[in-house]
Amino acid sequence: MRLYLDFETRSEAELRRVGPYVYANHPTTEVISVAWALGDGPVVKDAAIPLADNVLVAHNAEFERCILAAKYGMEVGWERIIDTAAKSASAGLPRALGKVADALGLTAKDERGGRLIAKLSKPRRPSKDNPDRFWERETAPEDYEALEEYNEGDVVTMREVDHALPDLSPTEQALWVLTMEMNERGIQVDRAALPYAEGEVERETARLAARWVELVGCAPGSPKGAKLLGLDSLKKASVRRALRGTLHPNVREALLTRQRLARTSVKKLPALRDRTSPDGRLRGSLVYAGAERTRRWAGAGVQPQNFPRGLGKETDLAFDAVCHPGALDLLWGDTLDTVAGMLKGFFLGPFLVGDYAQIEARVLAWLAGQWDLVQDFAAGTDIYSAMASDIYGHPVTKKDMDVGLGIAKRQLGKVTILGCGYGLGWRKLQTQLEEQFNVLVSDDFAQRLVNTYREKYPCIPAFWGRLERLWRLTVQTRAGLNSGTFPIRSAFRETPQGAFAYLILPSGRGIPYFKPQTHLLRPPPKSEPGYEHDVPTESLGHFGRNIYKGGKWEQVPTYGGKLTENVVQALSRDVMAEAMLRLKQAGFDLSLTVHDEIVAEAPAERLKEFESLMRLVPKWAGGLPVEVEAYATRRYRK
């Protein structure tokens, strides 16, 4: 039977800052309310939890399991747990319980929850009348009663979500279990180096802040700074644009100082320290299906997915130097940049690291039937140089620079291939080049980049169109479709909460789209600029995360290029996921997956076996030119 369980706790530790493993084991952490239900039975408020042989169901179940182990001494295997947050994300819905309940039209969460948790779960400032560090039941009886009602309500809502959404498939459940095992195993952190690195960051930040005050006349965070420098804003893009112009030397130095002070990656150092357990291992760094419907992994806590690329083979040298004040600046010239590049190196192995080279571009070419590109990948052709050669009209090597633009020609070919595969237009490519590489290209040149890609690989734009038509027809007919020749098929499912359309991948997995819809858009009047024809066009949409509105969940538009991005990223993830399960079966202790990398804690002697298992092509992906770059390292690096 399914046991639905939810805890409310309090602690001197802050859950968001330290993570579930450190939090659960903190000596001040205690359970202040527990609610559970067996199957469809009544919700019970009782600390005597009937775990027995029941299947544990919880929302973000990693937390409940940590509390059970740390505070109740109750061990439950990951294979006996169902996580409704994972089910929600896998269905293309919000991970937060209240948001998924709203989306599905289920029992709404108690709006008092946030206030109650803020008051009862966190330490308070003692007063003369109440010296306690926390509100107790005797001093806040009504709040505790309300918290228990809130706790019960979460169990009811969680159970409704569990009933409304299908369980993960056996393969996906195995991947969720693997993710939790990786989180629980954790990664050894070089805690000895942390205070040295933090000290270097503090000294350099203080020096830069003092220099900013000298140059500008106000604190670095003051809103007066922009006006004093003659700018409208000190946002990243504004500073970058200003630096391209002619500036007074002091203004230029101030803006360069601002850029260095704005580096956020070094702020991960305190997170590394706070989230590392007493045994020196960082736990809970992965989120299964963090990217929702594609089910790619995301990071939690220190967010390893957001670490800078790193120092490569110079990583060990940087760690040898960091204990000597000023050595980083002497060797590399920028302390903050160097410390940011060291972040990956705080993870200690020995590690085996395998990276699926250009996996998305390879999967896209394979799906679209762009066989000349597939053959180029299989033959080891430098496709980035080949693209650059077509752009410039002459052979391009890795050493060739576009002096006028200040970027390597091959790099421009790489940006074009990686950027244009999902229907990216020339204006957005132009913006991408400016924001990521500080490279300004003309409208004509940006159009040339996009047109060169589409003309060189015509099967890929054709794939966007075919996929969009498949999706549209599926929604209009409210039925699944299978052309027999197109590699993607579709399915449609009606539920009491709303309809789901699915794009079915060659791996057999469906990408879900909740509440899909098509509707006609009226054409612009003939007097309006840009008028072309009288035929209305159709807009496609579904319920999802709107990245342009801070991640708000609502009806969002989609199109062939976006659907292609979903399909390719999901299928690339499935290639890697199958390899992870193979590696686990072979006895490898997996530590991380970061983007297209798999990281295992294993000796260098197993590198060949590790790489060969990653290189195996899934049965459903015959002809896919998989390429893996693997290496052994003492510290994690790139």
Side-chain angles (χ1 to χ4, degrees), residues 154-414:
D154 273 3
V155 172
V156 171
T157 302
M158 177 206 315
R159 181 166 57 186
E160 291 182 1
V161 171
D162 185 49
H163 289 342
L165 298 176
D167 287 343
L168 300 180
S169 69
T171 297
E172 289 300 321
Q173 180 67 14
L175 287 166
W176 179 83
V177 168
L178 174 57
T179 305
M180 296 302 104
E181 290 172 344
M182 293 163 72
N183 277 350
E184 186 177 25
R185 181 180 302 116
I187 309 169
Q188 191 70 36
V189 174
D190 187 351
R191 290 191 294 177
L194 270 174
Y196 292 109
E198 288 186 278
E200 287 296 289
V201 169
E202 289 173 6
R203 281 190 290 273
E204 182 64 4
T205 300
R207 186 188 71 79
L208 290 171
R211 183 55 180 159
W212 170 271
V213 172
E214 290 178 14
L215 292 167
V216 183
C218 67
S222 172
K224 299 178 183 178
K227 184 177 180 180
L228 291 171
L229 291 171
L231 300 179
D232 295 330
S233 166
L234 287 178
K235 292 181 179 179
K236 184 186 296 185
S238 298
V239 171
R240 188 170 52 241
R241 283 193 295 268
L243 285 169
R244 294 197 193 104
T246 302
L247 298 170
H248 186 281
N250 285 354
V251 173
R252 179 172 294 279
E253 184 183 352
L255 294 182
L256 291 172
T257 300
R258 167 75 181 187
Q259 284 186 326
R260 296 179 69 188
L261 283 170
R263 181 176 289 281
T264 59
S265 51
V266 293
K267 295 179 181 178
K268 293 180 182 291
L269 292 174
L272 269 174
R273 181 188 65 241
D274 294 340
R275 297 176 75 92
T276 298
S277 297
D279 65 353
R281 297 187 79 85
L282 176 74
R283 294 181 169 87
S285 294
L286 288 174
V287 180
Y288 166 87
E292 286 103 25
R293 65 179 54 83
T294 66
R295 299 186 191 171
R296 291 187 302 162
W297 284 267
V302 299
Q303 300 279 352
Q305 279 75 3
N306 295 338
F307 281 1
R309 181 175 177 83
L311 302 176
K313 294 182 179 180
E314 292 188 321
T315 301
D316 285 328
L317 175 60
F319 276 88
D320 290 339
V322 71
C323 59
H324 303 287
L328 297 183
D329 190 64
L330 180 65
L331 291 171
W332 283 277
D334 188 328
T335 297
L336 297 184
D337 189 59
T338 305
V339 172
M342 293 170 61
L343 285 172
K344 289 185 176 183
F346 281 97
F347 293 162
L348 295 174
F351 294 125
L352 302 180
V353 182
D355 178 48
Y356 282 100
Q358 307 154 323
I359 183 65
E360 286 189 32
R362 292 166 183 265
V363 168
L364 175 58
W366 179 76
L367 276 176
Q370 190 68 57
W371 302 120
D372 56 341
L373 181 54
V374 170
Q375 291 170 2
D376 283 344
F377 276 124
T381 302
D382 184 349
I383 62 166
Y384 301 148
S385 291
M387 174 57 69
S389 298
D390 285 349
I391 291 169
Y392 287 97
H394 62 77
V396 169
T397 68
K398 292 182 178 181
K399 296 180 180 180
D400 293 334
M401 290 289 297
D402 187 318
V403 179
L405 295 178
I407 187 172
K409 293 181 177 181
R410 181 183 182 275
Q411 180 65 39
L412 204 59
K414 180 177 181 179

